Amino acid sequence: MTDSEKMREKEAEKMEVDSNLLDSLEKPEKIHQVIQEAILLAGGATAILLQVAEPGVGKGVDEHSNFGYRPLDRLRTTMTYVYCVTFGTRDERKAVIEMVHRAHASVKGPDYSADDPQLQLWVAATLYAVGIEIYQEIFGRLDDETAQAIYREYSILALSLRVTPEMWPEDQHAFWEYWDKQIKTMEITENAKNIAHDLLWNKKAPLTIRFALPFVRLTTAQMLPPRVREAYGLKTGKIRRGTYRFTMGLTKAAYPALPRAIRTYPMKYYMKDMRRRLDERKS
């Protein structure tokens, strides 16, 4: 076997999903009540800006994606992954995780790699932190037992990205210690600022999205930790904070009353889209 063939074989092995991992992802229960809610998409821009605030993630996204031309692609990829890992069948989880591994394989440079477990731990952490904050803002605080169960199950988003079980903080207290340390020490690079500009001031996005961007900038600025918001150059103030609180108040009153079919529509949409793409790969 030639060296190139051995290298390809090693790469193929890295793409394979361990059956033990698939076993550990089986039958999540509590996380479904959070992940299924469409309101979590309101934190999409916040999660992305937090992810790319990690310099390695920022470099990978800025240097290896067409984010400026297709700003919704990362949202589609992320939500497909999140919904499939939590709601998909065993075979669907395996297929999507392998797709993510293949996509990450070429995203690397002298000082970063998309397969770095520390970077993937941070990505998964942002999904939990932003998602649980929005959920509790709308539906009220969870009791301690439910909150801890949901936190434990959120680890599946990290474990399927090459993060080992011991890397995921053991409980919520440990998680928020990790979170605070990350927020206090990370530096917002030019890569991250480029992505923020493409995301929040994108002139190539469809008109309907561009129309919504001022509101997205407003809500994202209020959701970000102050240090991160300031580093990105996003503005806040008494009027902006008041507008955000008023908007969240209206949402808290109206959203839970919506029919479940509406609240879960994005989950069903992305799952259907994922299954269509998997069928196309088979044919």
Side-chain angles (χ1 to χ4, degrees):
M1 184 181 292
T2 66
D3 289 342
S4 60
E5 288 173 334
K6 289 179 181 178
M7 185 175 296
R8 285 195 296 271
E9 186 175 297
K10 284 185 177 181
E11 288 299 319
E13 289 175 358
K14 286 173 65 179
M15 303 303 172
E16 285 294 321
V17 180
D18 191 300
S19 61
N20 291 330
L21 168 61
L22 293 171
D23 291 340
S24 72
L25 301 181
E26 288 294 330
K27 298 180 181 178
E29 297 175 356
K30 299 294 186 181
I31 192 176
H32 285 174
Q33 75 182 72
V34 177
I35 295 293
Q36 69 179 353
E37 297 293 345
I39 193 63
L40 267 61
L41 294 175
T46 303
I48 290 173
L49 294 192
L50 285 166
Q51 288 166 20
V52 301
E54 210 305 323
V57 179
K59 275 191 175 183
V61 175
D62 193 30
E63 297 179 0
H64 292 269
S65 72
N66 54 357
F67 200 90
Y69 293 92
R70 303 178 69 179
L72 293 181
D73 275 9
R74 185 172 180 84
L75 176 64
R76 179 195 189 196
T77 301
T78 300
M79 297 318 299
T80 297
Y81 159 72
V82 169
Y83 290 137
C84 185
V85 169
T86 51
F87 289 95
T89 66
R90 185 183 180 91
D91 287 343
E92 289 168 349
R93 288 173 180 147
K94 182 176 185 293
V96 168
I97 292 170
E98 288 176 350
M99 287 169 64
V100 171
H101 289 343
R102 280 194 294 273
H104 285 174
S106 61
V107 182
K108 59 181 67 176
D111 55 351
Y112 69 91
S113 168
D115 281 330
D116 184 340
Q118 291 293 344
L119 301 188
Q120 297 303 341
L121 172 62
W122 175 245
V123 170
T126 66
L127 297 176
Y128 170 73
V130 174
I132 204 67
E133 179 181 351
I134 292 175
Y135 183 86
Q136 293 190 114
E137 181 77 22
I138 301 303
F139 291 97
R141 294 200 63 79
L142 297 161
D143 64 81
D144 291 343
E145 183 179 351
T146 302
Q148 186 57 35
I150 290 172
Y151 169 73
R152 285 195 301 268
E153 290 185 4
Y154 250 96
S155 67
I156 67 176
L157 301 184
L159 299 183
S160 52
L161 291 173
R162 304 191 190 281
V163 176
T164 58
E166 60 271 15
M167 290 176 66
W168 186 252
E170 63 179 352
D171 56 29
Q172 288 175 293
H173 178 73
F175 175 86
W176 292 116
E177 284 187 343
Y178 160 76
W179 179 266
D180 290 342
K181 181 179 178 181
Q182 290 291 104
I183 295 299
K184 288 177 182 176
T185 57
M186 62 178 45
E187 297 296 329
I188 308 302
T189 64
E190 288 304 312
N191 297 110
K193 291 177 181 177
N194 290 340
I195 295 163
H197 185 271
D198 287 341
L199 178 63
L200 300 177
W201 285 273
N202 195 297
K203 295 181 179 179
K204 300 181 178 70
L207 183 60
T208 52
I209 294 176
R210 279 182 282 157
F211 181 77
L213 285 180
F215 180 73
V216 174
R217 290 194 292 270
L218 169 72
T219 57
T220 300
Q222 304 311 312
M223 289 182 186
L224 286 171
R227 182 177 182 273
V228 178
R229 177 178 63 233
E230 292 168 7
Y232 274 119
L234 297 174
K235 297 179 180 180
T236 188
K238 186 176 181 179
I239 294 177
R240 287 184 171 88
R241 288 192 296 270
T243 303
Y244 175 75
R245 286 194 297 269
F246 177 74
T247 301
M248 292 304 292
L250 287 179
T251 305
K252 184 175 182 178
Y255 178 82
L258 291 174
R260 189 170 181 271
I262 294 176
R263 289 167 31 204
T264 60
Y265 175 77
M267 180 268 291
K268 294 173 182 176
Y269 170 83
Y270 282 111
M271 288 294 290
K272 182 178 180 180
D273 178 63
M274 177 271 297
R275 286 168 177 148
R276 176 185 57 79
R277 286 188 284 158
L278 290 180
D279 287 341
E280 289 176 351
R281 288 180 61 206
K282 294 176 183 177
S283 60

